[in-house]
Amino acid sequence: MAHTLPALTYAFDALEPHIDALTMQIHHDRHHQAYVDNLNKALAGTEGENKSLEELMAEMSKYPAAVRNNGGGHYNHTLFWEILGNNNSQPSAELAAAINSAFGSLDALKEKMSAAGATRFGSGWAWLIVKGGSLEVCSSPNQDNPLMDVAEVKGTPVLGIDVWEHAYYLHYQNKRPDYLKAIWNVINWDVVSKKYAAAI
Ligand code: MN3
C-alpha cells in the first residue's frame, strides 16, 4: 500500500496570523508531498512496502537513510497538521494534571518545549512525549522522531513542533523563537489530549 498525503482538515489561512497561509500551503502541498513521494520510491519493491508507518519507525535501524528521512518526514508532518488548529482549546483535566505534575504548569511546559526547539541546531523537531507513563520534553534532528528505534530519547509523541526553517521562514525569517512563541496560540489541545489518553 502506497503512502498518501493526508488532507488538511482546515483551510491554509486558518492559523493566521500565527502561521501564514502561504507557509501552510507550501509546507503541506510541497514539502509533505515530497516526503510521501520519496518514501514510496524508497520502499518500492522492498520488505518495508507493506509495513505501516509505525512499524517502520520501530525498526528504522534496518532501513536506508531515504526511508528514515522521508518516513520520519511523513509521520512527523501528519502529526503536526493534526495537533494544530485555531479552536481556543485547553488540555483535558487528565492531561493538565500530568503537565502540572511533570513541569509545574502549562506555561512551564511551553517554555521548556520552546527552549528545546530554539536550541535544536539546524533542522529538527521539539516533542512532548509519554515515556514510562509520564510526560517528557525532548528534541530530535532532521526528520527523526521518538518512535524510531534509533532515537536518542524514545517515547510516544503527543505533540510535535517543526523547527525546520520551511515551517516559519516566510513570516518569521531568522526569528525561530518568535515562531515558537506564536505557535502556542494554534495548538489543538483536544487532539493532544486524545493522543495523551491513548498513549498512557
Ligand atoms: Mn516541515
Side-chain angles (χ1 to χ4, degrees):
M1 261 293 276
H3 296 273
T4 56
L5 181 69
L8 281 187
T9 58
Y10 42 81
F12 291 127
D13 65 0
L15 310 180
E16 296 258 15
H18 309 291
I19 303 180
D20 64 281
L22 185 58
T23 294
M24 287 298 292
Q25 186 175 1
I26 294 172
H27 200 174
H28 178 269
D29 288 3
R30 298 198 213 159
H31 288 277
H32 191 171
Q33 183 71 62
Y35 295 124
V36 170
D37 293 345
N38 289 327
L39 175 64
N40 286 330
K41 254 182 247 168
L43 289 174
T46 74
E47 183 206 349
E49 202 171 20
N50 298 311
K51 304 225 167 166
S52 72
L53 214 39
E54 286 76 9
E55 287 173 317
L56 291 173
M57 298 303 125
E59 51 180 31
M60 196 51 83
S61 53
K62 289 178 20 183
Y63 294 95
V67 174
R68 181 169 172 174
N69 292 335
N70 294 293
H74 181 30
Y75 176 89
N76 296 350
H77 287 85
T78 300
L79 181 137
F80 190 54
W81 312 133
E82 285 177 18
I83 59 88
L84 293 175
N86 216 343
N87 64 351
N88 295 307
S89 55
Q90 296 296 323
S92 66
E94 194 186 24
L95 176 58
I99 288 171
N100 289 339
S101 151
F103 309 106
S105 68
L106 181 57
D107 282 345
L109 162 65
K110 291 177 183 175
E111 246 170 67
K112 192 164 185 181
M113 235 181 126
S114 295
T119 56
R120 166 54 61 186
F121 185 78
S123 298
W125 289 75
W127 301 101
L128 176 64
I129 60 171
V130 172
K131 184 180 179 180
S134 58
L135 291 169
E136 273 187 35
V137 165
C138 65
S139 71
S140 63
N142 306 313
Q143 294 295 355
D144 284 1
N145 65 54
L147 285 182
M148 292 182 179
D149 63 347
V150 291
E152 222 172 277
V153 183
K154 294 183 194 65
T156 306
V158 297
L159 170 54
I161 299 179
D162 189 345
V163 300
W164 283 57
E165 282 188 345
H166 68 226
Y168 62 85
Y169 206 84
L170 290 181
H171 187 68
Y172 294 96
Q173 293 84 47
N174 60 318
K175 293 169 283 192
R176 189 191 285 187
D178 289 359
Y179 157 73
L180 285 167
K181 197 171 175 193
I183 200 169
W184 295 109
N185 293 299
V186 290
I187 296 296
N188 187 335
W189 287 105
D190 295 335
V191 171
V192 178
S193 299
K194 275 183 201 145
K195 289 190 178 293
Y196 172 72
I200 53 164

Short mmCIF file of all heavy atoms in Angstrom, two decimals, residues 10 15 79-100 102-103 105-114 126-130 135-137 157-161 180-198:
data_model
loop_
_atom_site.label_atom_id
_atom_site.label_comp_id
_atom_site.label_asym_id
_atom_site.label_seq_id
_atom_site.Cartn_x
_atom_site.Cartn_y
_atom_site.Cartn_z
N TYR A 10 -8.46 21.80 7.85
CA TYR A 10 -8.80 23.22 7.97
C TYR A 10 -8.15 23.95 6.80
O TYR A 10 -7.30 23.38 6.09
CB TYR A 10 -8.30 23.80 9.32
CG TYR A 10 -6.92 23.32 9.72
CD1 TYR A 10 -5.77 23.90 9.18
CD2 TYR A 10 -6.77 22.25 10.60
CE1 TYR A 10 -4.50 23.45 9.53
CE2 TYR A 10 -5.51 21.78 10.95
CZ TYR A 10 -4.39 22.39 10.42
OH TYR A 10 -3.14 21.93 10.75
N LEU A 15 -4.76 29.34 10.44
CA LEU A 15 -3.85 29.58 11.58
C LEU A 15 -3.28 31.00 11.56
O LEU A 15 -2.42 31.34 12.38
CB LEU A 15 -2.72 28.56 11.58
CG LEU A 15 -3.16 27.09 11.46
CD1 LEU A 15 -1.94 26.16 11.49
CD2 LEU A 15 -4.14 26.70 12.55
N LEU A 79 1.35 14.15 12.04
CA LEU A 79 1.04 14.50 13.43
C LEU A 79 0.93 16.02 13.59
O LEU A 79 0.02 16.52 14.26
CB LEU A 79 2.11 13.94 14.36
CG LEU A 79 1.92 14.21 15.85
CD1 LEU A 79 2.21 12.96 16.67
CD2 LEU A 79 2.80 15.35 16.35
N PHE A 80 1.84 16.75 12.94
CA PHE A 80 1.87 18.22 13.07
C PHE A 80 0.55 18.85 12.61
O PHE A 80 -0.01 19.69 13.31
CB PHE A 80 3.04 18.74 12.24
CG PHE A 80 3.39 20.18 12.43
CD1 PHE A 80 3.66 20.71 13.68
CD2 PHE A 80 3.48 21.04 11.33
CE1 PHE A 80 4.02 22.04 13.84
CE2 PHE A 80 3.85 22.37 11.48
CZ PHE A 80 4.11 22.88 12.74
N TRP A 81 0.02 18.42 11.45
CA TRP A 81 -1.25 19.00 10.97
C TRP A 81 -2.37 18.68 11.94
O TRP A 81 -3.26 19.48 12.15
CB TRP A 81 -1.61 18.49 9.57
CG TRP A 81 -0.52 18.55 8.56
CD1 TRP A 81 -0.14 17.54 7.70
CD2 TRP A 81 0.36 19.65 8.26
NE1 TRP A 81 0.92 17.95 6.92
CE2 TRP A 81 1.25 19.24 7.24
CE3 TRP A 81 0.49 20.96 8.77
CZ2 TRP A 81 2.25 20.06 6.71
CZ3 TRP A 81 1.50 21.77 8.25
CH2 TRP A 81 2.35 21.34 7.24
N GLU A 82 -2.32 17.51 12.55
CA GLU A 82 -3.40 17.11 13.47
C GLU A 82 -3.42 17.95 14.74
O GLU A 82 -4.48 18.25 15.27
CB GLU A 82 -3.22 15.64 13.89
CG GLU A 82 -3.59 14.63 12.84
CD GLU A 82 -3.29 13.21 13.32
OE1 GLU A 82 -3.13 12.98 14.53
OE2 GLU A 82 -3.19 12.33 12.46
N ILE A 83 -2.24 18.28 15.25
CA ILE A 83 -2.21 18.95 16.56
C ILE A 83 -2.31 20.48 16.43
O ILE A 83 -2.25 21.18 17.44
CB ILE A 83 -0.98 18.53 17.41
CG1 ILE A 83 0.36 18.84 16.71
CG2 ILE A 83 -1.05 17.05 17.76
CD1 ILE A 83 0.90 20.23 16.96
N LEU A 84 -2.47 20.98 15.19
CA LEU A 84 -2.68 22.41 15.00
C LEU A 84 -4.16 22.68 14.74
O LEU A 84 -4.90 21.83 14.26
CB LEU A 84 -1.86 22.92 13.81
CG LEU A 84 -0.33 22.90 13.98
CD1 LEU A 84 0.35 23.31 12.69
CD2 LEU A 84 0.11 23.81 15.14
N GLY A 85 -4.59 23.90 15.07
CA GLY A 85 -5.97 24.32 14.84
C GLY A 85 -6.20 25.62 15.60
O GLY A 85 -5.47 25.90 16.54
N ASN A 86 -7.19 26.36 15.18
CA ASN A 86 -7.42 27.65 15.83
C ASN A 86 -8.71 27.58 16.63
O ASN A 86 -9.67 28.26 16.34
CB ASN A 86 -7.50 28.75 14.76
CG ASN A 86 -6.88 30.05 15.26
OD1 ASN A 86 -6.68 30.22 16.46
ND2 ASN A 86 -6.59 30.95 14.36
N ASN A 87 -8.74 26.71 17.63
CA ASN A 87 -10.02 26.41 18.27
C ASN A 87 -10.08 26.77 19.76
O ASN A 87 -10.97 26.33 20.47
CB ASN A 87 -10.37 24.93 18.06
CG ASN A 87 -9.37 24.02 18.75
OD1 ASN A 87 -8.33 24.48 19.23
ND2 ASN A 87 -9.67 22.75 18.82
N ASN A 88 -9.14 27.56 20.22
CA ASN A 88 -9.16 28.02 21.63
C ASN A 88 -9.37 26.87 22.62
O ASN A 88 -10.08 27.02 23.60
CB ASN A 88 -10.25 29.06 21.84
CG ASN A 88 -9.97 30.33 21.06
OD1 ASN A 88 -8.88 30.90 21.17
ND2 ASN A 88 -10.91 30.75 20.24
N SER A 89 -8.76 25.73 22.35
CA SER A 89 -8.97 24.57 23.22
C SER A 89 -8.01 24.60 24.41
O SER A 89 -7.05 25.38 24.44
CB SER A 89 -8.74 23.30 22.40
OG SER A 89 -7.46 23.35 21.79
N GLN A 90 -8.29 23.77 25.38
CA GLN A 90 -7.44 23.63 26.57
C GLN A 90 -7.13 22.15 26.77
O GLN A 90 -7.91 21.30 26.35
CB GLN A 90 -8.19 24.14 27.82
CG GLN A 90 -8.51 25.63 27.79
CD GLN A 90 -7.25 26.49 27.79
OE1 GLN A 90 -6.26 26.15 28.43
NE2 GLN A 90 -7.28 27.59 27.04
N PRO A 91 -6.01 21.84 27.46
CA PRO A 91 -5.75 20.43 27.77
C PRO A 91 -6.89 19.84 28.61
O PRO A 91 -7.48 20.56 29.43
CB PRO A 91 -4.45 20.50 28.60
CG PRO A 91 -3.80 21.79 28.22
CD PRO A 91 -4.93 22.74 27.92
N SER A 92 -7.17 18.56 28.40
CA SER A 92 -8.16 17.86 29.24
C SER A 92 -7.70 17.90 30.69
O SER A 92 -6.52 18.17 30.97
CB SER A 92 -8.28 16.40 28.77
OG SER A 92 -7.04 15.73 29.04
N ALA A 93 -8.63 17.63 31.62
CA ALA A 93 -8.30 17.62 33.05
C ALA A 93 -7.16 16.63 33.32
O ALA A 93 -6.22 16.91 34.08
CB ALA A 93 -9.52 17.26 33.87
N GLU A 94 -7.24 15.47 32.65
CA GLU A 94 -6.24 14.42 32.81
C GLU A 94 -4.85 14.88 32.32
O GLU A 94 -3.84 14.70 33.00
CB GLU A 94 -6.73 13.22 31.99
CG GLU A 94 -6.05 11.92 32.23
CD GLU A 94 -6.53 10.86 31.23
OE1 GLU A 94 -7.00 11.22 30.13
OE2 GLU A 94 -6.42 9.66 31.57
N LEU A 95 -4.83 15.50 31.14
CA LEU A 95 -3.56 15.98 30.58
C LEU A 95 -3.02 17.15 31.40
O LEU A 95 -1.81 17.23 31.66
CB LEU A 95 -3.74 16.38 29.11
CG LEU A 95 -2.51 17.00 28.42
CD1 LEU A 95 -1.30 16.07 28.47
CD2 LEU A 95 -2.83 17.37 26.97
N ALA A 96 -3.92 18.04 31.82
CA ALA A 96 -3.49 19.20 32.63
C ALA A 96 -2.82 18.73 33.92
O ALA A 96 -1.78 19.27 34.34
CB ALA A 96 -4.69 20.10 32.94
N ALA A 97 -3.40 17.69 34.54
CA ALA A 97 -2.82 17.16 35.79
C ALA A 97 -1.44 16.57 35.52
O ALA A 97 -0.49 16.77 36.31
CB ALA A 97 -3.75 16.10 36.38
N ALA A 98 -1.29 15.87 34.40
CA ALA A 98 0.01 15.27 34.05
C ALA A 98 1.04 16.35 33.75
O ALA A 98 2.23 16.22 34.10
CB ALA A 98 -0.16 14.32 32.87
N ILE A 99 0.61 17.44 33.08
CA ILE A 99 1.51 18.55 32.77
C ILE A 99 1.96 19.23 34.07
O ILE A 99 3.16 19.50 34.26
CB ILE A 99 0.81 19.57 31.83
CG1 ILE A 99 0.69 18.97 30.42
CG2 ILE A 99 1.57 20.90 31.79
CD1 ILE A 99 -0.18 19.79 29.45
N ASN A 100 1.01 19.46 34.97
CA ASN A 100 1.37 20.10 36.25
C ASN A 100 2.34 19.23 37.03
O ASN A 100 3.29 19.72 37.64
CB ASN A 100 0.11 20.38 37.08
CG ASN A 100 -0.72 21.50 36.47
OD1 ASN A 100 -0.20 22.32 35.70
ND2 ASN A 100 -2.00 21.53 36.79
N ALA A 102 4.48 16.99 35.82
CA ALA A 102 5.80 16.85 35.19
C ALA A 102 6.56 18.18 35.11
O ALA A 102 7.79 18.19 35.22
CB ALA A 102 5.63 16.27 33.78
N PHE A 103 5.85 19.28 34.90
CA PHE A 103 6.53 20.55 34.60
C PHE A 103 6.18 21.68 35.57
O PHE A 103 6.81 22.74 35.54
CB PHE A 103 6.21 21.00 33.17
CG PHE A 103 6.45 19.93 32.14
CD1 PHE A 103 5.38 19.26 31.55
CD2 PHE A 103 7.74 19.56 31.78
CE1 PHE A 103 5.59 18.25 30.62
CE2 PHE A 103 7.97 18.56 30.85
CZ PHE A 103 6.90 17.89 30.27
N SER A 105 3.52 23.65 35.52
CA SER A 105 2.40 24.42 34.95
C SER A 105 2.43 24.29 33.43
O SER A 105 3.44 23.88 32.85
CB SER A 105 2.50 25.89 35.34
OG SER A 105 3.62 26.47 34.69
N LEU A 106 1.32 24.70 32.80
CA LEU A 106 1.28 24.69 31.33
C LEU A 106 2.29 25.69 30.77
O LEU A 106 2.95 25.42 29.76
CB LEU A 106 -0.15 25.03 30.85
CG LEU A 106 -0.39 25.04 29.34
CD1 LEU A 106 -0.03 23.70 28.69
CD2 LEU A 106 -1.84 25.40 29.02
N ASP A 107 2.41 26.85 31.42
CA ASP A 107 3.39 27.84 30.95
C ASP A 107 4.81 27.29 31.01
O ASP A 107 5.62 27.57 30.13
CB ASP A 107 3.29 29.13 31.78
CG ASP A 107 2.11 29.98 31.34
OD1 ASP A 107 1.56 29.73 30.25
OD2 ASP A 107 1.71 30.89 32.11
N ALA A 108 5.10 26.54 32.06
CA ALA A 108 6.45 25.96 32.20
C ALA A 108 6.70 24.93 31.09
O ALA A 108 7.81 24.83 30.57
CB ALA A 108 6.61 25.32 33.57
N LEU A 109 5.67 24.16 30.73
CA LEU A 109 5.81 23.21 29.61
C LEU A 109 6.10 23.97 28.32
O LEU A 109 7.00 23.60 27.56
CB LEU A 109 4.54 22.37 29.44
CG LEU A 109 4.42 21.69 28.06
CD1 LEU A 109 5.50 20.65 27.84
CD2 LEU A 109 3.04 21.08 27.84
N LYS A 110 5.32 25.04 28.07
CA LYS A 110 5.52 25.82 26.84
C LYS A 110 6.94 26.35 26.77
O LYS A 110 7.59 26.31 25.71
CB LYS A 110 4.52 26.98 26.78
CG LYS A 110 3.08 26.55 26.57
CD LYS A 110 2.15 27.76 26.61
CE LYS A 110 0.69 27.33 26.47
NZ LYS A 110 -0.23 28.48 26.62
N GLU A 111 7.43 26.87 27.88
CA GLU A 111 8.79 27.41 27.93
C GLU A 111 9.82 26.33 27.64
O GLU A 111 10.79 26.54 26.90
CB GLU A 111 9.06 27.96 29.34
CG GLU A 111 9.26 29.46 29.40
CD GLU A 111 9.29 29.94 30.83
OE1 GLU A 111 10.27 29.59 31.54
OE2 GLU A 111 8.35 30.64 31.23
N LYS A 112 9.62 25.16 28.25
CA LYS A 112 10.58 24.08 28.09
C LYS A 112 10.60 23.57 26.65
O LYS A 112 11.66 23.30 26.08
CB LYS A 112 10.23 22.94 29.06
CG LYS A 112 11.32 21.91 29.17
CD LYS A 112 11.18 21.01 30.38
CE LYS A 112 12.40 20.11 30.42
NZ LYS A 112 12.42 19.16 31.51
N MET A 113 9.42 23.46 26.07
CA MET A 113 9.36 22.97 24.69
C MET A 113 9.89 23.99 23.70
O MET A 113 10.57 23.63 22.73
CB MET A 113 7.92 22.61 24.34
CG MET A 113 7.82 21.18 23.86
SD MET A 113 6.21 20.66 23.42
CE MET A 113 6.54 20.08 21.75
N SER A 114 9.57 25.26 23.94
CA SER A 114 10.09 26.32 23.06
C SER A 114 11.62 26.36 23.16
O SER A 114 12.31 26.55 22.15
CB SER A 114 9.49 27.67 23.43
OG SER A 114 8.11 27.67 23.19
N ALA A 126 10.78 19.61 18.09
CA ALA A 126 10.63 19.57 19.55
C ALA A 126 9.41 18.69 19.85
O ALA A 126 8.41 18.74 19.13
CB ALA A 126 10.40 20.97 20.10
N TRP A 127 9.54 17.88 20.89
CA TRP A 127 8.50 16.87 21.19
C TRP A 127 8.03 16.91 22.63
O TRP A 127 8.84 17.09 23.55
CB TRP A 127 9.04 15.46 20.94
CG TRP A 127 9.51 15.21 19.55
CD1 TRP A 127 10.81 15.21 19.10
CD2 TRP A 127 8.69 14.92 18.41
NE1 TRP A 127 10.83 14.93 17.75
CE2 TRP A 127 9.56 14.76 17.31
CE3 TRP A 127 7.31 14.78 18.22
CZ2 TRP A 127 9.10 14.46 16.02
CZ3 TRP A 127 6.85 14.49 16.95
CH2 TRP A 127 7.74 14.33 15.87
N LEU A 128 6.73 16.66 22.82
CA LEU A 128 6.19 16.27 24.11
C LEU A 128 5.83 14.80 23.97
O LEU A 128 5.06 14.43 23.07
CB LEU A 128 4.94 17.09 24.47
CG LEU A 128 4.24 16.71 25.77
CD1 LEU A 128 5.13 16.95 26.99
CD2 LEU A 128 2.91 17.47 25.92
N ILE A 129 6.44 13.97 24.80
CA ILE A 129 6.24 12.52 24.67
C ILE A 129 5.75 11.91 25.99
O ILE A 129 5.94 12.50 27.06
CB ILE A 129 7.55 11.78 24.25
CG1 ILE A 129 8.65 12.00 25.31
CG2 ILE A 129 8.01 12.24 22.88
CD1 ILE A 129 9.90 11.12 25.08
N VAL A 130 5.11 10.75 25.87
CA VAL A 130 4.82 9.93 27.04
C VAL A 130 5.89 8.85 27.09
O VAL A 130 6.12 8.13 26.11
CB VAL A 130 3.42 9.28 26.96
CG1 VAL A 130 3.23 8.28 28.09
CG2 VAL A 130 2.34 10.35 27.00
N LEU A 135 5.09 12.44 31.28
CA LEU A 135 5.40 13.35 30.17
C LEU A 135 6.85 13.80 30.23
O LEU A 135 7.39 14.05 31.31
CB LEU A 135 4.48 14.58 30.23
CG LEU A 135 3.01 14.33 29.92
CD1 LEU A 135 2.19 15.57 30.27
CD2 LEU A 135 2.80 13.97 28.46
N GLU A 136 7.45 13.93 29.04
CA GLU A 136 8.81 14.46 28.93
C GLU A 136 8.91 15.33 27.70
O GLU A 136 8.17 15.13 26.73
CB GLU A 136 9.83 13.32 28.77
CG GLU A 136 10.34 12.74 30.07
CD GLU A 136 11.47 11.74 29.86
OE1 GLU A 136 12.29 11.93 28.93
OE2 GLU A 136 11.51 10.75 30.61
N VAL A 137 9.83 16.28 27.72
CA VAL A 137 10.12 17.10 26.56
C VAL A 137 11.47 16.69 25.99
O VAL A 137 12.41 16.42 26.75
CB VAL A 137 10.15 18.60 26.94
CG1 VAL A 137 10.80 19.44 25.85
CG2 VAL A 137 8.73 19.11 27.20
N PRO A 157 5.02 10.20 20.92
CA PRO A 157 4.77 11.63 20.74
C PRO A 157 3.29 11.98 20.90
O PRO A 157 2.43 11.30 20.34
CB PRO A 157 5.21 11.90 19.30
CG PRO A 157 5.97 10.70 18.85
CD PRO A 157 5.47 9.56 19.67
N VAL A 158 3.00 13.04 21.67
CA VAL A 158 1.62 13.55 21.75
C VAL A 158 1.54 14.96 21.17
O VAL A 158 0.45 15.45 20.86
CB VAL A 158 1.06 13.52 23.19
CG1 VAL A 158 0.97 12.08 23.68
CG2 VAL A 158 1.88 14.34 24.16
N LEU A 159 2.69 15.62 21.02
CA LEU A 159 2.75 16.97 20.45
C LEU A 159 4.13 17.14 19.84
O LEU A 159 5.14 16.80 20.47
CB LEU A 159 2.51 17.98 21.57
CG LEU A 159 2.72 19.48 21.36
CD1 LEU A 159 1.95 20.00 20.17
CD2 LEU A 159 2.27 20.24 22.61
N GLY A 160 4.18 17.62 18.60
CA GLY A 160 5.46 17.84 17.94
C GLY A 160 5.47 19.20 17.26
O GLY A 160 4.46 19.58 16.66
N ILE A 161 6.56 19.92 17.37
CA ILE A 161 6.68 21.22 16.72
C ILE A 161 7.85 21.18 15.74
O ILE A 161 8.99 20.90 16.11
CB ILE A 161 6.87 22.35 17.74
CG1 ILE A 161 5.65 22.43 18.67
CG2 ILE A 161 7.08 23.69 17.03
CD1 ILE A 161 5.75 23.51 19.74
N LEU A 180 8.14 30.09 17.77
CA LEU A 180 7.90 29.13 18.86
C LEU A 180 7.02 29.72 19.96
O LEU A 180 6.40 28.98 20.72
CB LEU A 180 9.23 28.65 19.44
CG LEU A 180 9.97 27.65 18.55
CD1 LEU A 180 11.41 27.45 19.02
CD2 LEU A 180 9.23 26.31 18.53
N LYS A 181 6.95 31.04 20.03
CA LYS A 181 6.05 31.69 20.99
C LYS A 181 4.63 31.72 20.41
O LYS A 181 3.65 31.43 21.09
CB LYS A 181 6.56 33.11 21.25
CG LYS A 181 6.00 33.76 22.48
CD LYS A 181 6.72 35.07 22.77
CE LYS A 181 6.04 35.76 23.95
NZ LYS A 181 6.50 37.15 24.07
N ALA A 182 4.55 32.05 19.12
CA ALA A 182 3.24 32.23 18.47
C ALA A 182 2.49 30.92 18.30
O ALA A 182 1.25 30.89 18.37
CB ALA A 182 3.43 32.90 17.11
N ILE A 183 3.22 29.83 18.10
CA ILE A 183 2.54 28.57 17.76
C ILE A 183 1.62 28.07 18.88
O ILE A 183 0.65 27.35 18.63
CB ILE A 183 3.57 27.49 17.32
CG1 ILE A 183 2.85 26.40 16.50
CG2 ILE A 183 4.31 26.90 18.52
CD1 ILE A 183 3.78 25.44 15.79
N TRP A 184 1.90 28.50 20.11
CA TRP A 184 1.04 28.06 21.22
C TRP A 184 -0.38 28.59 21.09
O TRP A 184 -1.30 28.07 21.72
CB TRP A 184 1.65 28.47 22.56
CG TRP A 184 2.95 27.74 22.78
CD1 TRP A 184 4.20 28.26 22.74
CD2 TRP A 184 3.11 26.33 23.03
NE1 TRP A 184 5.14 27.26 22.94
CE2 TRP A 184 4.50 26.08 23.13
CE3 TRP A 184 2.21 25.26 23.17
CZ2 TRP A 184 5.02 24.80 23.36
CZ3 TRP A 184 2.73 23.99 23.41
CH2 TRP A 184 4.12 23.78 23.49
N ASN A 185 -0.60 29.62 20.26
CA ASN A 185 -1.95 30.14 20.02
C ASN A 185 -2.77 29.22 19.14
O ASN A 185 -3.99 29.38 19.05
CB ASN A 185 -1.87 31.52 19.34
CG ASN A 185 -1.28 32.57 20.27
OD1 ASN A 185 -1.83 32.84 21.33
ND2 ASN A 185 -0.15 33.14 19.87
N VAL A 186 -2.12 28.29 18.45
CA VAL A 186 -2.84 27.45 17.49
C VAL A 186 -2.61 25.96 17.73
O VAL A 186 -2.61 25.15 16.80
CB VAL A 186 -2.50 27.83 16.02
CG1 VAL A 186 -3.11 29.19 15.68
CG2 VAL A 186 -1.00 27.84 15.78
N ILE A 187 -2.38 25.59 18.99
CA ILE A 187 -2.29 24.17 19.32
C ILE A 187 -3.69 23.64 19.59
O ILE A 187 -4.47 24.27 20.33
CB ILE A 187 -1.39 23.94 20.57
CG1 ILE A 187 0.05 24.37 20.29
CG2 ILE A 187 -1.44 22.45 21.00
CD1 ILE A 187 0.79 23.59 19.22
N ASN A 188 -4.05 22.53 18.97
CA ASN A 188 -5.35 21.90 19.19
C ASN A 188 -5.23 20.94 20.37
O ASN A 188 -4.89 19.77 20.22
CB ASN A 188 -5.81 21.17 17.93
CG ASN A 188 -7.23 20.64 18.07
OD1 ASN A 188 -7.71 20.40 19.18
ND2 ASN A 188 -7.89 20.45 16.95
N TRP A 189 -5.53 21.47 21.57
CA TRP A 189 -5.34 20.67 22.79
C TRP A 189 -6.33 19.52 22.88
O TRP A 189 -6.09 18.55 23.61
CB TRP A 189 -5.44 21.57 24.03
CG TRP A 189 -4.22 22.44 24.18
CD1 TRP A 189 -4.12 23.77 23.93
CD2 TRP A 189 -2.91 22.02 24.62
NE1 TRP A 189 -2.83 24.21 24.17
CE2 TRP A 189 -2.08 23.16 24.60
CE3 TRP A 189 -2.37 20.79 25.01
CZ2 TRP A 189 -0.73 23.11 24.96
CZ3 TRP A 189 -1.03 20.73 25.37
CH2 TRP A 189 -0.23 21.89 25.35
N ASP A 190 -7.45 19.61 22.15
CA ASP A 190 -8.39 18.48 22.13
C ASP A 190 -7.69 17.25 21.53
O ASP A 190 -7.81 16.14 22.04
CB ASP A 190 -9.64 18.82 21.31
CG ASP A 190 -10.46 19.93 21.95
OD1 ASP A 190 -10.35 20.11 23.18
OD2 ASP A 190 -11.18 20.63 21.21
N VAL A 191 -6.96 17.49 20.44
CA VAL A 191 -6.26 16.38 19.78
C VAL A 191 -5.09 15.90 20.64
O VAL A 191 -4.88 14.69 20.80
CB VAL A 191 -5.78 16.81 18.37
CG1 VAL A 191 -4.87 15.75 17.77
CG2 VAL A 191 -6.97 17.08 17.46
N VAL A 192 -4.33 16.84 21.21
CA VAL A 192 -3.20 16.46 22.06
C VAL A 192 -3.70 15.64 23.25
O VAL A 192 -3.10 14.62 23.63
CB VAL A 192 -2.41 17.70 22.53
CG1 VAL A 192 -1.26 17.29 23.44
CG2 VAL A 192 -1.88 18.49 21.33
N SER A 193 -4.83 16.05 23.82
CA SER A 193 -5.41 15.33 24.97
C SER A 193 -5.80 13.91 24.59
O SER A 193 -5.59 12.96 25.36
CB SER A 193 -6.64 16.08 25.51
OG SER A 193 -6.28 17.37 25.95
N LYS A 194 -6.37 13.75 23.39
CA LYS A 194 -6.74 12.40 22.91
C LYS A 194 -5.50 11.55 22.71
O LYS A 194 -5.49 10.35 23.03
CB LYS A 194 -7.52 12.50 21.60
CG LYS A 194 -9.00 12.75 21.83
CD LYS A 194 -9.77 12.78 20.52
CE LYS A 194 -11.10 13.53 20.75
NZ LYS A 194 -11.52 14.32 19.59
N LYS A 195 -4.45 12.15 22.17
CA LYS A 195 -3.21 11.39 21.95
C LYS A 195 -2.60 10.98 23.29
O LYS A 195 -2.06 9.89 23.43
CB LYS A 195 -2.22 12.20 21.11
CG LYS A 195 -2.66 12.34 19.66
CD LYS A 195 -1.57 12.95 18.79
CE LYS A 195 -2.03 13.03 17.35
NZ LYS A 195 -2.22 11.70 16.72
N TYR A 196 -2.70 11.88 24.27
CA TYR A 196 -2.16 11.56 25.61
C TYR A 196 -2.94 10.39 26.21
O TYR A 196 -2.34 9.43 26.71
CB TYR A 196 -2.25 12.79 26.52
CG TYR A 196 -1.89 12.47 27.94
CD1 TYR A 196 -0.56 12.19 28.29
CD2 TYR A 196 -2.87 12.38 28.93
CE1 TYR A 196 -0.23 11.85 29.60
CE2 TYR A 196 -2.54 12.04 30.23
CZ TYR A 196 -1.22 11.78 30.57
OH TYR A 196 -0.90 11.42 31.84
N ALA A 197 -4.28 10.47 26.12
CA ALA A 197 -5.12 9.40 26.69
C ALA A 197 -4.80 8.05 26.04
O ALA A 197 -4.76 7.01 26.71
CB ALA A 197 -6.59 9.75 26.54
N ALA A 198 -4.55 8.07 24.73
CA ALA A 198 -4.25 6.83 24.02
C ALA A 198 -2.85 6.30 24.37
O ALA A 198 -2.61 5.10 24.35
CB ALA A 198 -4.33 7.06 22.51
#
